[in-house]
Amino acid sequence: LENIQDWNLSRSRYWGTPLPIWQTEDGKEAKCIGSIKELYAEIDKVIAQIIKPEMNTEAKVRAIYAYVQDSINYASTAKTDDFVYAAYTSLFSSGTGDCYSYFAASKAFFERLGIENVDMKRAEGSAAGEHYWNLVNVGTKDAPKWYHYDANPISGQYSVSGCLLTDAQVAAYDTWRGEGYRKYDKTGIP
């Protein structure tokens, strides 16, 4: 921050260098989240409430999906270059975000719980705009079971949620939408 002009500091990424400072609605508390360690401290509080010791990986993933769905309202506003910022803002500050926010919030939980996951991004030129989601392994290293996981709200007209989709379900959704919504480069993907 030494080389940044005073007028260039802001909570808004549109007006300057954003500062990761959030204030409660009542104005009594302000928090500065500057690291993944601080994000994980907040995530740990949620994990203590939603994850039970007897849950297998699939049950944990479904609990994370339900929590993220209930905690974030869709609004096309995310900053896509910092998953810590997007996860914290959408889960613990604004309660809003776009597909990157849903992706980042879910990733924070997966990483904290040691659930193997891969970052996914829509292939350029396949549909309008960017889209982000995760691949998760609900199996083991020796017997992996990879699924697509997209906590971003899916149209109510479609009968499948975004939690633990097979490749065939992703292809069917893309056919239904007609725009390559989750078209991605399969190179190096499990």
Side-chain angles (χ1 to χ4, degrees):
L1 295 177
E2 290 176 12
N3 297 330
I4 297 175
Q5 302 292 324
D6 289 346
W7 57 268
N8 221 11
L9 294 175
S10 172
R11 275 268 343 259
S12 171
R13 66 187 169 111
Y14 299 107
W15 295 107
T17 303
L19 298 175
I21 300 171
W22 292 272
Q23 189 171 7
T24 56
E25 286 184 27
D26 62 9
K28 293 181 179 179
E29 182 182 3
K31 271 194 173 182
C32 178
I33 299 295
S35 71
I36 196 161
K37 182 180 176 183
E38 293 168 289
L39 171 63
Y40 284 166
E42 297 298 318
I43 291 287
D44 286 345
K45 294 174 189 175
V46 176
I47 287 172
Q49 296 172 15
I50 67 169
I51 303 296
K52 306 297 178 224
E54 66 275 5
M55 290 177 151
N56 64 15
T57 302
E58 182 177 335
K60 290 175 184 178
V61 167
R62 290 187 185 283
I64 292 165
Y65 182 84
Y67 183 82
V68 170
Q69 285 271 297
D70 288 345
S71 299
I72 303 173
N73 292 311
Y74 188 85
S76 188
T77 58
K79 176 182 173 184
T80 61
D81 62 349
D82 185 349
F83 103 90
V84 172
Y85 177 89
Y88 187 86
T89 303
S90 60
L91 285 171
F92 305 114
S93 178
S94 70
T96 63
D98 69 359
C99 66
Y100 189 81
S101 302
Y102 287 91
F103 152 80
S106 299
K107 178 181 179 64
F109 281 104
F110 298 150
E111 294 290 323
R112 189 63 179 151
L113 290 168
I115 297 172
E116 191 175 8
N117 67 96
V118 174
D119 301 351
M120 300 296 292
K121 181 180 177 183
R122 178 187 294 146
E124 291 187 28
S126 60
E130 295 179 329
H131 185 69
Y132 299 85
W133 70 99
N134 314 82
L135 279 184
V136 294
N137 179 10
V138 298
T140 64
K141 292 263 188 208
D142 295 332
K145 290 167 43 176
W146 287 95
Y147 290 93
H148 296 264
Y149 170 102
D150 190 350
N152 190 57
I154 290 181
S155 171
Q157 299 170 346
Y158 199 74
S159 63
V160 176
S161 82
C163 188
L164 302 178
L165 296 169
T166 65
D167 288 338
Q169 288 171 313
V170 167
Y173 185 74
D174 279 359
T175 300
W176 178 78
R177 272 192 76 130
E179 60 186 47
Y181 190 71
R182 284 194 195 88
K183 185 175 181 181
Y184 59 96
D185 181 1
K186 295 182 171 128
T187 307
I189 301 298

